[in-house]
Amino acid sequence: MKSILSLTVNGVARDDAAADNLLLVDYLREVVGLTGTKMGCDGGECGACTVLIDGQPRLSCITLAQACTGSEVETVEGLADGSRLSPLQSAFNEALGAQCGYCTPGMIMAAEGLLRENPSPSEDEIRQGLAANLCRCTGYIKIIEAVQFAIDELGSKGKAA
Ligand code: FES
Ligand code: FES
């Protein structure tokens, strides 16, 4: 059965007809057309599908779209300001935090959630914040360095992530 789903995606209020069993990742990719959010394991194990729901990192492959009624959902596309990358997006580029890039949107959204809660996490806290996100390519060192690069940039500019 379909019903109207009312929520905000990347700051834009939407009302869409959505099946009650539609997953959030499929809603974002197929209904909204935001394909930055990736489907990896399809079972809550890899973190590739991580988005922010009301500011908290959540796995969109195990979240029903209808459960987000009234919520603010943010995807990796929502971080950029037009063509200007966010500090974390830019850091993953500058510090070579991505290789194939498949895990990158989920990593960035998990890191975004972490930095909003804790703007100056230690390396251990970064590792804990990204513990639910798997990468097959980088060995994680470059990913941790990318988050630290963003923290340094934000610190020097005095801005939020
Ligand atoms: S696709 Fe959602 S956790 Fe892997
Ligand atoms: S960069 Fe390829 S899976 Fe992480």
Side-chain angles (χ1 to χ4, degrees), residues 31-50:
V31 178
V32 187
L34 296 174
T35 56
T37 302
K38 303 303 184 205
M39 177 72 89
C41 65
D42 192 15
E45 302 286 343
C46 76
C49 64
T50 303

Side-chain angles (χ1 to χ4, degrees), residues 36-127:
T37 302
K38 303 303 184 205
M39 177 72 89
C41 65
D42 192 15
E45 302 286 343
C46 76
C49 64
T50 303
V51 298
L52 299 184
I53 300 175
D54 296 327
Q56 300 296 315
R58 295 286 182 259
L59 301 175
S60 61
C61 76
I62 55 172
T63 301
L64 290 173
Q66 292 285 5
C68 299
T69 296
S71 291
E72 164 83 37
V73 175
E74 295 173 75
T75 72
V76 72
E77 291 94 337
L79 299 183
D81 181 8
S83 61
R84 185 187 175 104
L85 296 177
S86 77
L88 268 169
Q89 290 172 318
S90 180
F92 270 71
N93 181 41
E94 295 289 328
L96 307 179
Q99 287 185 20
C100 82
Y102 201 82
C103 72
T104 308
M107 289 284 184
I108 288 176
M109 296 313 288
E112 178 77 18
L114 171 66
L115 296 192
R116 288 187 192 178
E117 294 269 322
N118 178 5
S120 305
S122 65
E123 180 176 336
D124 276 354
E125 288 170 331
I126 295 170
R127 288 181 181 276

